[in-house]
Amino acid sequence: MASDPQSAANQRIVEDLVSRLRRRQVVGSRATALETLLVLRQVISKARFSNIDQLTDVIRSVGRRLVEAQPKEHSVGNTVRKVLHHIREEYHTASGPPAVESSFSIAKFVLQGQPRRQTVIPKSEARVPLKENDPDDPDSFARVLKPVLMEAIQDVFDELETVYDNIAKNAKDHIHSDEIILTLGMSKTVQSFLKSAAHYRNYTVIVAETAPSFGGREMAKSLSSAGISTFLVPDSSIYALMSRVNKVILGAHAILANGGMFATSGSLLAATAARSYSTPVVVCAGQFKLTPLWNLYHEYGALDFGDPSAVLGFEEGDLVDKVDVVNPYYDYVRPELLDVFITNYGDHPPSSIYRLLKETYDDEDNEL
Amino acid sequence: MSSSREGAGGADGSADGPKSRGLRIFSHFGLPKTPGHQIKGDIHPAIIKLGLQFSEFKICGANARCIATLTAFKTVIQDYVTPPHNTLSRHLMTHLSPQITHLVNARPMSVTMGNAIRQLKLEISDSDIDLPEQDAKDELCQKIDNYIRDRIIIADEVIEDLAVKKIKEGDVVLTYARSSLVEKILLRAHSQNKHFSVIVIDSRPLLEGKTLLHSLTSTIPPIPCTYALLPALPSLITDADVVLLGAHSLHANGSVYSRAGTAMVAMLAKEHSVPVMLCCETYKFSETVMLDGFGKNELAPVKFSPGAPKSNSNLEVLNPLYDSTPASCITAVVTEVGLIPPTSISSIPLALGRTTL
């Protein structure tokens, strides 16, 4: 199969993304999810397969390599899982008898009453009988299935494209007039959420600047330019100001199966401080951040480390040799510290994340 | 009203015009003072110098500011001449008041300075009318020296002895920013050949932890140090065996007013069951009650946030200097009268004898 020119082309695309992930040229959950999806679309369109298992094997092996390239970008694996899930769904609708209306779904349950596209419109295309492992024409299976798969991938694309809008559309129900919101770091999801709420409400945002990346400064600039009254404070004053804060809104890097999350370092401090004042903590995150992983053994978020020179630069030359410098990217925030996840599939408490995961991915893909 | 709004508006002077909403809740924060503020009345040059050092944060920290103030007052007292038809015990305080006001204008008064000045007032009014002027002044200077010696220097040594005992061989000590007392404790423990390492947690606006790092690593052999900013604390707190913190002041309800960020270090340490030892001389006790770090605070001057975006009509850059740690997060307070729970602060003045405080 490696001699196949098409699969060689696939190899190239995959290797390209692998190296960019390794070099951190692609960072951020949404960016990596989009890139992964692009690669998967190419791979599927070029892949040769004559039954569903061959197809999933191809995708899984690509997924494995991408995940190994950068295990901390969980949305890569999530996108692969999601695509696999969609492929199986399409395969079942295309082959078997029309599936019975799926059992109770918590995502649909929460969304009920909202005019959304949650009901899958049955595809009424002329059904070509799907034949697996046809000895006469081994490509027929792929030929029939590929257009449907492309459509399914397009759906995932559309979802990623609209994820910020879909999360932000209910922002006004969460932020009320004259509230004081605390946030930190630079999260595009939170940014669009807050800006959307600003169309309806007058409120104040306190942004912790989140050293050493200072993503909070960027966030404060962006929010204030949208006309939101913004205060930029150092991370050290989160606790002092918390007594006046009505709500903490955070972004997530990955949502875990137990309802906890990985998020920009500083999030755990803010969430813990919020709990000591009984301030609600709201997390805004797209569904592609749902990760079927557990973090039971890491009490702390020392999972990935950034550049120490951002913390203690070479201008402190004599210290650099003698001192260990720690600069972790992420915190692990326990589910007890969080109140709600606002996703593009409705609002969920941390305790129902496991259920959402079951609906989003197939169990067999948890380990790619 | 307008002047208080200006106060929170920062030093850019553009306080007029439509300011952002929500500003008023921050309006009571102390105004970051611009250096070279107006000199009103007969201010002694030593005090003018000190005022500049305060407003420029050249002298920073509760102990350093108190010692510097008292030392400057000694010069003021020595240069003072009682006007005719007056007595030193009645008139000296009216001479000192504008000096104090000048210092307060440079930077809000610390609790330590307040306590020391109150003591000084007491000594002045108690000074013997019949004493020759020079003798009375010498006696006051002697009393100031005694205060510095007893309440700060000797107190620190006793606290060092007590706290060093709590650092065991192989311990990892975590501290936040820089407290002069914690620094002395760590250096003392090191000089006793104890082997331990230190995690220094730091944060803007002041980044005082770097100064602590310099002094800890310039010992021979250097103390093994780890340095991280406050957001990285959750990754490091699990390694710590004991947390040592300093204080600006300690209040009657047991809450600790200290450098912003201290509260979160203590909170997280408590959550991970790491003992938090607060090192604090008894002269830092205040009889007032502090409920949160918001009611009373002070803002750092703009020069401490070089990279931050400029304030505009919608964006305000605030750098609070202090926060308040609830008593529940503190395991023990190390004072020169022993290790006590933070809620027993109010019994200490009695233990020391009220009249000498």
Side-chain angles (χ1 to χ4, degrees):
Chain A
M1 202 157 137
S3 56
D4 191 335
Q6 281 181 332
S7 96
N10 275 350
Q11 293 257 355
R12 261 201 308 283
I13 313 167
V14 174
E15 283 311 316
D16 176 54
L17 181 56
V18 162
S19 62
R20 280 190 296 148
L21 281 171
R22 275 214 184 105
R23 293 170 192 160
R24 283 189 185 282
Q25 286 166 331
V26 197
V27 287
S29 358
R30 184 162 170 272
T32 49
L34 277 171
E35 294 280 348
T36 310
L37 208 52
L38 282 172
V39 167
L40 287 181
R41 180 154 73 177
Q42 295 260 27
V43 167
I44 293 172
S45 72
K46 295 207 171 102
R48 298 187 60 183
F49 52 90
S50 54
N51 60 37
I52 186 78
D53 293 332
Q54 283 178 6
L55 175 61
T56 50
D57 282 348
V58 169
I59 295 172
R60 288 171 80 138
S61 76
V62 169
R64 240 188 336 264
R65 270 162 65 204
L66 293 177
V67 168
E68 277 161 12
Q70 188 51 271
K72 314 295 183 194
E73 290 288 2
H74 299 282
S75 62
V76 172
N78 296 341
T79 310
V80 176
R81 286 182 196 105
K82 178 130 187 159
V83 167
L84 282 170
H85 176 74
H86 276 270
I87 286 175
R88 288 205 192 86
E89 225 168 40
E90 295 297 344
Y91 167 71
H92 289 309
T93 41
S95 59
V100 196
E101 179 51 40
S102 64
S103 55
F104 172 76
S105 151
I106 197 161
K108 287 176 189 165
F109 171 72
V110 171
L111 287 172
Q112 246 161 26
Q114 299 178 21
R116 291 253 344 229
R117 49 156 202 84
Q118 79 269 36
T119 44
V120 182
I121 301 135
K123 303 229 163 57
S124 55
E125 300 140 17
R127 179 86 61 79
V128 187
L130 206 54
K131 242 195 233 165
E132 283 189 67
N133 301 323
D134 192 341
D136 306 327
D137 184 5
D139 285 341
S140 81
F141 177 73
R143 209 168 42 240
V144 175
L145 201 58
K146 267 185 188 173
V148 194
L149 295 183
M150 287 301 132
E151 222 169 281
I153 288 183
Q154 190 57 43
D155 281 350
V156 184
F157 252 119
D158 294 344
E159 192 188 314
L160 278 180
E161 293 292 336
T162 57
V163 67
Y164 296 148
D165 293 339
N166 277 331
I167 294 171
K169 71 181 185 315
N170 292 328
K172 64 174 185 298
D173 299 336
H174 292 279
I175 296 175
H176 306 101
S177 286
D178 289 335
E179 278 194 330
I180 299 176
I181 306 288
L182 184 122
T183 185
L184 53 80
M186 179 65 209
S187 158
K188 292 230 179 67
T189 322
V190 174
Q191 186 191 357
S192 67
F193 187 81
L194 293 175
K195 283 185 180 173
S196 150
H199 292 308
Y200 306 94
R201 312 269 191 235
N202 282 339
Y203 63 99
T204 304
V205 183
I206 299 176
V207 188
E209 60 187 12
T210 330
S213 66
F214 294 111
R217 289 181 176 173
E218 207 186 314
M219 180 79 126
K221 262 189 244 173
S222 149
L223 292 178
S224 60
S225 66
I228 303 172
S229 151
T230 311
F231 289 88
L232 180 66
V233 299
D235 308 311
S236 50
S237 45
I238 291 176
Y239 195 92
L241 301 179
M242 191 57 82
S243 60
R244 299 298 187 276
V245 169
N246 298 105
K247 210 166 275 162
V248 177
I249 297 186
L250 300 174
H253 176 69
I255 303 171
L256 305 178
N258 61 344
M261 66 164 182
F262 291 131
T264 320
S265 52
S267 302
L268 181 57
L269 276 184
T272 317
R275 194 182 51 171
S276 69
Y277 282 98
S278 298
T279 307
V281 179
V282 174
V283 180
C284 294
Q287 198 209 27
F288 62 94
K289 290 181 182 175
L290 287 174
T291 310
L293 288 177
W294 295 76
N295 188 51
L296 300 177
Y297 310 109
H298 289 280
E299 243 311 300
Y300 51 95
L303 305 140
D304 207 0
F305 289 96
D307 178 10
S309 74
V311 177
L312 199 66
F314 284 102
E315 65 276 8
E316 310 277 347
D318 50 330
L319 284 179
V320 171
D321 288 344
K322 301 175 190 164
V323 179
D324 288 336
V325 177
V326 182
N327 178 17
Y329 274 116
Y330 304 118
D331 272 344
Y332 167 61
V333 186
R334 298 188 307 283
E336 308 91 89
L337 299 177
L338 307 173
D339 289 280
V340 66
F341 287 102
I342 297 178
T343 72
N344 45 335
Y345 278 80
D347 309 343
H348 301 275
S351 52
S352 66
I353 290 300
Y354 83 98
R355 177 76 211 192
L356 215 54
L357 273 170
K358 293 254 180 223
E359 287 157 18
T360 316
Y361 311 121
D362 295 325
D363 285 345
E364 60 214 89
D365 299 328
N366 286 356
E367 201 69 40
L368 279 174
Chain B
M1 180 62 197
S2 79
S3 72
S4 67
R5 282 172 71 88
E6 225 169 285
D12 57 354
S14 63
D16 296 327
K19 295 300 283 186
S20 50
R21 281 168 282 106
L23 183 69
R24 274 165 50 204
I25 62 161
F26 294 110
S27 61
H28 64 285
F29 278 14
L31 151 81
K33 298 291 175 11
T34 45
H37 57 277
Q38 252 187 327
I39 295 163
K40 288 182 199 128
D42 182 17
I43 306 297
H44 192 279
I47 298 293
I48 293 173
K49 182 179 161 201
L50 191 60
L52 283 170
Q53 285 170 329
F54 279 2
S55 62
E56 286 285 305
F57 284 74
K58 297 280 189 249
I59 295 181
C60 186
N63 283 352
R65 279 169 73 196
C66 184
I67 293 173
T69 309
L70 288 177
T71 312
F73 280 167
K74 274 192 343 194
T75 321
V76 177
I77 290 173
Q78 284 299 348
D79 293 348
Y80 165 80
V81 181
T82 316
H85 316 301
N86 241 323
T87 58
L88 181 134
S89 62
R90 299 240 174 104
H91 184 262
L92 178 55
M93 212 48 230
T94 56
H95 179 66
L96 284 182
S97 295
Q99 324 283 335
I100 296 167
T101 315
H102 181 84
L103 290 181
V104 173
N105 282 339
R107 234 192 110 180
M109 186 151 68
S110 67
V111 170
T112 52
M113 285 161 63
N115 282 346
I117 288 169
R118 195 175 315 129
Q119 180 67 19
L120 181 63
K121 276 184 186 168
L122 213 70
E123 300 291 358
I124 290 172
S125 62
D126 278 359
S127 68
D128 194 348
I129 297 177
D130 299 330
L131 221 54
E133 183 168 302
Q134 189 55 44
D135 288 358
K137 290 198 286 190
D138 286 346
E139 196 182 272
L140 278 176
C141 289
Q142 186 59 46
K143 289 209 163 119
I144 289 176
D145 282 338
N146 289 350
Y147 187 89
I148 295 177
R149 190 194 64 205
D150 295 345
R151 306 303 301 270
I152 308 176
I153 302 196
I154 303 282
D156 278 4
E157 283 173 19
V158 177
I159 293 171
E160 283 167 43
D161 279 339
L162 290 171
V164 162
K165 284 185 197 142
K166 297 293 171 193
I167 300 176
K168 291 184 282 297
E169 197 67 16
D171 265 1
V172 179
V173 181
L174 188 141
T175 185
Y176 178 72
R178 172 183 174 268
S179 151
S180 58
L181 186 50
V182 171
E183 179 178 336
K184 282 194 264 183
I185 291 166
L186 294 173
L187 291 176
R188 166 84 71 101
H190 182 259
S191 70
Q192 294 178 2
N193 290 322
K194 285 201 180 186
H195 294 92
F196 62 97
S197 56
V198 179
I199 299 173
V200 181
I201 303 291
D202 207 358
S203 175
R204 283 202 352 89
L206 297 186
L207 289 173
E208 294 160 301
K210 286 185 182 173
T211 319
L212 178 64
L213 270 188
H214 276 290
S215 77
L216 294 183
T217 51
S218 50
T219 55
I220 300 168
I223 302 176
C225 289
T226 306
Y227 180 77
L229 297 178
L230 194 56
L233 174 65
S235 307
L236 291 168
I237 192 78
T238 44
D239 298 339
D241 294 305
V242 62
V243 174
L244 286 183
L245 297 172
H248 174 94
S249 62
L250 199 53
H251 293 258
N253 58 338
S255 62
V256 181
Y257 190 60
S258 189
R259 184 65 69 228
T262 306
M264 278 192 286
V265 175
M267 169 189 76
L268 226 61
K270 189 196 177 198
E271 189 145 297
H272 286 86
S273 307
V274 181
V276 180
M277 307 234 291
L278 186 85
C279 308
C280 176
E281 302 86 349
T282 53
Y283 87 112
K284 288 181 176 173
F285 292 178
S286 164
E287 281 145 49
T288 55
V289 165
M290 179 161 284
L291 296 176
D292 65 13
F294 197 86
K296 183 191 166 201
N297 214 319
E298 189 186 336
L299 295 179
V302 186
K303 69 166 182 171
F304 287 110
S305 37
K310 290 267 171 294
S311 293
N312 59 41
S313 62
N314 285 323
L315 180 64
E316 197 84 58
V317 182
L318 293 179
N319 287 313
L321 280 177
Y322 296 100
D323 67 12
S324 158
T325 312
S328 59
C329 293
I330 306 290
T331 316
V333 182
V334 191
T335 69
E336 69 264 31
V337 294
L339 272 74
I340 53 168
T343 41
S344 314
I345 301 312
S346 42
S347 61
I348 293 301
L350 292 172
L352 285 173
R354 189 53 131 167
T355 49
T356 63
L357 187 73

